Amino acid sequence: MSHKHLVEGPRHALVHNLPLIAAGLVVLLMLSVMLAVSIGAVGIPLDLVWSVVLNHLFPGSVEQSWSAGRDNIVWEVRLPRVILGALVGASLALVGSALQSVTRNPLADPHLLGISSGAALGAIIVLLHTGMFLGLVTLPIFAFVGALVTTAIVVGVANFANATNASRLVLTGVAVSFVITSLGSLGIFLGDPRAAHTVIFWMLGGLGLAQWVQLPYPLLALVACGAYLMVNARNFNAMTLGDESATTLGLPAGRFRMVVFIVCAVLTGAAVAFSGIISFVGLMIPHLVRLAVGGDYRRVLPLSALVGAIFLVLADMVARIIIPPLDMPIGIITGLVGGVFFIALMRRNGRLG
């Protein structure tokens, strides 16, 4: 039996059990969230985690037998952090899936078009130059605006240079990304050296500043933008065939690609504004999902969102416990895992010929 049949057999079985797989991933996500809340510098039993959460959702439903300190750790510190991780992981995985289709570039991810560079520039301006003059919301607002402005520049330059096809648009994004990154480096060079470490930590990614009041923004972006991407799953399938084939099928490829870029910019900006730059999630997760269930975007998009959420929740848990009491930037964990994954993937594809 050929290698192809050995691969397609299990994949065929997975495709026909998609509802069961999705349900299993939802359960796994819930278990991962509770486990991540339980584990940390101060361990909290799972049953106590459930009791604290239920008591906050339904006051008086559980007799309170735990200290105020543990209540604060579960509800105010860890739970919003873990939920933010799930939202960011799902968002980045969705963006990576969408961009890999419309650019037909297997290395496309949320950072490809300078979106994250723009967010980083906004954060650098706040952390090193203006300060938090709007309170705690200053940083995410500037990061989000930076992401959107960078996207507008990429789209404007692409239209000016008539670079609306996939490859030229990617090159435009890379060029703009270099310019924005250079401006960010200049901002660090001219800023207060004593505050530079805060910028570095943000650029390596982290969920330690998560608060309940922040969660509606990435959640709203994920629901709205994710719904648009999933409704257009068939169009993503058409885009993987090339612009000419997509146009033959009645899809205006250039216009659809631009809309997807803007939607992905909003989704990425809302994610990195609160988490910093987290690498490899949007690049790695779609490959992993396609390896399991094939390339149909009606399956790839929702499963990528679930797997991305699970992965980032678990990665953040590892980042918190690997060198206690220090909180390692989560980007280090995702970069290590992502790099090893791609080396293994290349080796596997080489064996399969």
Side-chain angles (χ1 to χ4, degrees):
M1 184 179 293
S2 69
H3 286 300
K4 181 179 179 180
H5 285 99
L6 287 173
V7 174
E8 291 297 333
R11 179 184 292 178
H12 185 74
L14 287 173
V15 167
H16 285 278
N17 287 292
L18 277 175
L20 186 61
I21 294 171
L25 288 174
V26 170
V27 172
L28 182 58
L29 175 59
M30 294 177 63
L31 292 176
S32 299
V33 166
M34 300 312 293
L35 183 65
V37 174
S38 174
I39 294 177
V42 177
I44 298 176
L46 277 173
D47 59 337
L48 183 56
V49 172
W50 282 106
S51 297
V52 171
V53 172
L54 287 173
N55 191 58
H56 278 274
L57 293 177
F58 308 101
S61 60
V62 180
E63 183 179 351
Q64 185 165 345
S65 59
W66 54 89
S67 66
R70 290 198 165 194
D71 189 277
N72 186 68
I73 290 173
V74 171
W75 187 256
E76 298 295 340
V77 178
R78 290 187 188 167
L79 191 57
R81 173 179 182 144
V82 172
I83 293 175
L84 177 62
L87 295 175
V88 171
S91 298
L92 296 179
L94 274 174
V95 170
S97 299
L99 291 181
Q100 286 167 18
S101 167
V102 297
T103 63
R104 298 190 303 283
N105 185 341
L107 297 180
D109 77 338
H111 312 310
L112 182 69
L113 300 173
I115 301 170
S116 296
S117 299
L121 178 59
I124 289 167
I125 291 172
V126 170
L127 294 172
L128 297 183
H129 298 281
T130 67
M132 300 285 193
F133 64 94
L134 296 176
L136 292 176
V137 298
T138 313
L139 178 59
I141 286 176
F142 268 66
F144 183 68
V145 171
L148 293 187
V149 169
T150 302
T151 303
I153 293 172
V154 171
V155 173
V157 171
N159 287 330
F160 175 76
N162 196 27
T164 56
N165 64 59
S167 57
R168 295 189 69 187
L169 192 53
V170 169
L171 290 175
T172 303
V174 171
V176 172
S177 179
F178 276 121
V179 173
I180 299 298
T181 300
S182 297
L183 292 176
S185 299
L186 179 63
I188 294 174
F189 178 74
L190 297 176
D192 185 354
R194 293 171 295 180
H197 71 281
T198 59
V199 174
I200 293 172
F201 192 89
W202 189 89
M203 292 179 73
L204 292 175
L207 305 171
L209 300 178
Q211 299 178 18
W212 283 111
V213 294
Q214 299 172 341
L215 297 184
Y217 303 105
L219 176 60
L220 180 62
L222 178 59
V223 171
C225 299
Y228 174 84
L229 297 178
M230 291 186 192
V231 165
N232 285 279
R234 291 181 182 274
N235 290 339
F236 286 112
N237 288 337
M239 291 294 289
T240 60
L241 302 175
D243 285 13
E244 290 185 5
S245 298
T247 303
T248 302
L249 294 171
L251 175 65
R255 187 173 66 187
F256 178 69
R257 183 181 295 111
M258 286 295 187
V259 173
V260 169
F261 278 156
I262 294 170
V263 169
C264 288
V266 172
L267 193 50
T268 303
V272 302
F274 297 99
S275 68
I277 299 174
I278 298 176
S279 61
F280 262 111
V281 177
L283 182 59
M284 174 178 61
I285 298 301
H287 282 279
L288 192 62
V289 171
R290 281 194 295 268
L291 196 64
V293 301
D296 188 341
Y297 273 78
R298 291 172 296 178
R299 302 189 294 265
V300 170
L301 287 170
L303 294 186
S304 291
L306 288 171
V307 175
I310 294 167
F311 172 74
L312 205 58
V313 167
L314 296 179
D316 180 59
M317 182 178 70
V318 172
R320 285 188 285 114
I321 65 176
I322 194 168
I323 48 173
L326 296 179
D327 191 355
M328 179 183 289
I330 194 173
I332 295 176
I333 303 296
T334 59
L336 287 172
V337 174
V340 172
F341 167 80
F342 267 98
I343 292 171
L345 182 63
M346 287 188 294
R347 179 174 173 79
R348 177 186 181 280
N349 286 344
R351 285 203 309 267
L352 294 180

